[in-house]
Amino acid sequence: MKKLVLPLVLLLSACATEPVVSTLSNEELEAMTCRQIMKEVTRLEMQINRIQHGDKLFTGVDEANEAQALQAAKQRLQQIREESARKMCTFG
């Protein structure tokens, strides 16, 4: 049974596509704490890195979805960074 789990997980992950994130409303941005902003920046940077540098040979990438997911992640990251600057958040 255990021998079947790993190949199944690999097969399912090969079919996965990056989610297209949505922009945040002003109310959502205002409600975020600096800690939440830091976590979201990290998550978005990792997602952008996966899209740009992921192993496309094994993932069966849909290029239209990839471009849309990348643009949406970059736009949301810009929103988050602007909110971080507005709130004068410091990280590290």
Side-chain angles (χ1 to χ4, degrees):
M1 180 70 175
K2 289 182 181 180
K3 292 181 182 180
L4 294 175
V5 174
L6 182 60
L8 182 60
V9 169
L10 292 174
L11 179 63
L12 291 175
S13 66
C15 299
T17 59
E18 286 294 331
V20 178
V21 294
S22 61
T23 58
L24 297 167
S25 69
N26 289 336
E27 292 80 22
E28 290 172 315
L29 285 168
E30 289 174 8
M32 291 181 82
T33 64
C34 286
R35 184 174 177 86
Q36 290 171 321
I37 288 171
M38 179 184 68
K39 287 181 179 182
E40 184 68 5
V41 165
T42 302
R43 187 186 70 76
L44 288 167
E45 287 174 342
M46 288 173 50
Q47 181 179 1
I48 290 168
N49 189 42
R50 271 194 315 269
I51 294 170
Q52 290 177 332
H53 306 291
D55 190 354
K56 294 169 180 58
L57 179 63
F58 296 108
T59 58
V61 171
D62 173 11
E63 291 189 21
N65 180 60
E66 181 182 87
Q68 185 180 11
L70 181 60
Q71 181 62 31
K74 285 182 176 182
Q75 186 176 3
R76 184 169 175 144
L77 182 59
Q78 181 63 33
Q79 271 190 304
I80 297 290
R81 285 183 172 156
E82 288 172 3
E83 185 65 14
S84 174
R86 192 182 71 72
K87 289 185 176 181
M88 293 185 251
C89 296
T90 57
F91 306 119

